[in-house]
Amino acid sequence: MKFKTIIEPFRIKMVEPIRQTTREERERLLAEAHYNLFLLKAEDVLIDLLTDSGTGAMSSGQWAGMMLGDESYAGAKSFYKFETAVRTITGLKHVIPTHQGRAAERILFGSVLKPGDIVPNNTHFDTTRANTEYRGATALDIPIPEAHDPAIILPFKGNIDLAALERTLVENPGNVPLAMITVTNNSGGGQPVSMANIRAASEICHRHNVPLFLDCCRFAENAWFIKTREEGYADKTPLEIAQEMFSYVDGATMSAKKDGMGNIGGFLALNDDAWAQECKNLLILTEGFPTYGGLAGYDLEALAVGLEEVLHEDYLQYRIRSVAYLGDILTSNGIPIVQPPGGHAIYIDAKGMLPHIPQSEYPAWALSLALYLEGGIRSVEIGSVMFGHQPDGSEKPAAMELVRLAFPRRVYTQSHVDYLAEVLLYVNSIKESIRGVRIVDAPPMLRHFSAKMALI
Ligand code: F0G
C-alpha cells in the first residue's frame, strides 16, 4: 500500500445521536445510580465502552440477511446457514445455537460438571466462572505467570500455563471433565493465545483423555494476532488460522455478540455425540428447540453473515489498530495500561495509576466513576468488585485492578477515540483527587452488576 493511514473500512449509512450531559448532571446521575455504572441509563452516557458485547453495528449485508429469516420452529433454513457458517470455521460436528454465550456455558456445564470437579482455563470470564461454581465445581485460572504483570510486553500474554495444566490433570484424575482456553483472554487484558500454546494444551489434555474447549468469543481477533505475531502465519488467511485453532479442540462455547458481529446470539459446538445429546435436552428445557436455541431466524441469518465478515483482513486490521491507537496515546503520556494493547479493549492499570487508593477501596471502580463524571465515558471495572467475593463468602483481592475500555465493533470513529484520550489525560492530571469506594449492598454472585456503592 502506498498510503499508511488505516481507515475505517466502511461508510456510515445510518446514524444514532449521542447526547452530551453536564458535569453537574452526571454528578447527580451517579448518585442516583448508587455509584454503579451498570445502573445508569444508556442515554445518559456519551461514549459507551462498557462492553463490546452485542453493541456493534451490523453491516448492510447482515440487515439484508435478516429479511431472509426463516422463523419456522423446527428445521428453519436460517439454522442451516448458521450451522454451515459455524462448521466452516470450527469443523465441529454438533452446532447448538443459544441466545448468548452464558447459555452455552450453562448447558455445557449443566451436562458435564458435578460437584468437586475442576475446570482449568487460562482465565475464566465472570459468567464462565459463575456457571462453573454454580455446579459446585472449581474454576481454576492458570494463565502464564507474566499475565499478572500489566507492564510486561509479550506477544501472547493470554497463553495458558502448560506446566500448571499438566500438573492439574496429573493431580486430579477423573475430576477434570474438560479444560478450556479463552481466546482472547478477556479478563486477563484481551491478550491473545498463540497457536503453539493451543496445540500444546491440546496435546496435554488428550494425553490425559480430557477434552479441550475454546471459549471462542473473540476468535477472529485472536487469529489476527497469530497472523501478525506468530512465525509461519503471515501468509495464511484469518479463516485458515481460525480453522487450525479449532482443529485442536473438541468443542467451543461462543458469545456471538462479540466476533459473531451480532446484537444477540451464541453457540455451543462439540464433537462428542453423547454430550451433544445431553446438551440438546437441556437446551430444549430452557432455550428452545435445537434449530433455533432461543434466537429468531433473523438472528441466525445476521450471525451467519457476521461470522464471515469478522474474518475480513481490512476489518481486523482496522479493529486491532483502533484499539492500539488509544493504547499508544495513553502509554506515551504515562498512563499505565495492560501491555501490549489487547484485541477488543484497553485496560487501564488502576493500581498503578492510583497508588493512593488501597485495593480494599476498589481503585478501578473509583477510576471508572471518574471517567464518567469528567467525560461521560462508561467503562467497566475488572477488579476486586467483580472478582473479590469468593464462593465460601470470604474476600480475596483480585490479581489486578483494571478499568476496561471495550470498543464496540464498527461503532465509534477516530475522533471519538481522540476525545476519549483527551478525557483520560485530563483525569490523569487530577488523579490525586479521586477517592476510593465501598460496597453498601451486594448480592452474593456476580455482584458488580447490581451492587450499591458509596464514595469514601
Ligand atoms: N466468555 C467470555 C470470554 C466473554 O467475554 C463473555 C462475555 C462470555 C463468555 C459470556 O457471553 O455475555 O454472551 O453471555 N463478555 C461480555 C463482556 C459480557 O463485556 O466482556 P454472554
Side-chain angles (χ1 to χ4, degrees), residues 170-192:
V170 168
E171 288 171 5
N172 302 281
N175 284 332
V176 184
L178 78 163
M180 294 187 88
I181 295 183
T182 304
V183 291
T184 57
N185 184 0
N186 183 12
S187 308
Q191 300 293 326

Side-chain angles (χ1 to χ4, degrees), residues 51 100-102 105 125 127 186 215 217-218 255 258 404:
T51 179
Q100 61 184 86
R102 68 198 71 182
E105 293 160 9
F125 182 66
T127 60
N186 183 12
D215 176 344
C217 300
R218 300 175 180 86
S255 168
K258 285 83 166 174
R404 184 185 73 173

Side-chain angles (χ1 to χ4, degrees), residues 35-294:
Y35 300 96
N36 184 336
L37 299 178
F38 280 102
L39 304 181
L40 286 173
K41 286 190 176 147
E43 63 176 356
D44 295 329
V45 175
L46 183 64
I47 297 192
D48 203 344
L49 307 182
L50 183 68
T51 179
D52 63 321
S53 181
T55 51
M58 291 210 296
S59 67
S60 49
Q62 287 179 288
W63 283 106
M66 287 177 74
M67 297 308 291
L68 303 173
D70 174 354
E71 306 304 338
S72 305
Y73 189 93
K77 234 191 285 178
S78 304
F79 168 73
Y80 295 106
K81 276 193 210 164
F82 173 77
E83 185 187 48
T84 299
V86 175
R87 275 220 192 110
T88 301
I89 296 166
T90 67
L92 293 163
K93 186 170 171 193
H94 302 280
V95 177
I96 302 172
T98 60
H99 80 274
Q100 61 184 86
R102 68 198 71 182
E105 293 160 9
R106 169 133 168 87
I107 285 157
L108 175 65
F109 299 158
S111 302
V112 309
L113 293 189
K114 59 179 187 329
D117 281 345
I118 298 171
V119 183
N121 193 324
N122 47 351
T123 308
H124 290 81
F125 182 66
D126 58 357
T127 60
T128 322
R129 166 171 292 280
N131 272 301
T132 305
E133 291 171 353
Y134 190 68
R135 298 291 302 165
T138 299
L140 180 70
D141 288 345
I142 45 168
I144 53 169
E146 295 89 337
H148 294 305
D149 184 340
I152 293 182
I153 296 183
L154 279 180
F156 294 103
K157 219 173 154 181
N159 283 355
I160 193 165
D161 182 336
L162 296 169
L165 177 63
E166 176 104 51
R167 208 177 319 120
T168 306
L169 300 189
V170 168
E171 288 171 5
N172 302 281
N175 284 332
V176 184
L178 78 163
M180 294 187 88
I181 295 183
T182 304
V183 291
T184 57
N185 184 0
N186 183 12
S187 308
Q191 300 293 326
V193 178
S194 71
M195 193 73 87
N197 190 252
I198 298 173
R199 196 184 302 123
S202 166
E203 189 274 318
I204 292 170
C205 287
H206 292 147
R207 195 152 30 76
H208 291 272
N209 286 320
V210 170
L212 178 64
F213 274 59
L214 283 182
D215 176 344
C216 68
C217 300
R218 300 175 180 86
F219 74 95
E221 291 168 9
N222 201 80
W224 184 256
F225 283 117
I226 289 175
K227 181 176 170 69
T228 53
R229 294 183 183 172
E230 191 162 351
E231 211 185 311
Y233 290 93
D235 296 330
K236 293 204 157 59
T237 64
L239 174 61
E240 288 166 340
I241 295 170
Q243 286 166 333
E244 184 179 339
M245 285 162 49
F246 284 102
S247 73
Y248 299 121
V249 301
D250 307 282
T253 56
M254 176 157 184
S255 168
K257 299 169 74 173
K258 285 83 166 174
D259 278 351
M261 302 284 227
N263 297 127
I264 196 71
F267 64 79
L268 166 64
L270 70 175
N271 283 334
D272 188 274
D273 296 332
W275 277 18
Q277 191 52 52
E278 179 121 11
C279 291
K280 281 184 193 171
N281 293 343
L282 267 188
L283 183 88
I284 293 175
L285 202 62
T286 58
E287 293 275 305
F289 192 73
T291 59
Y292 73 88

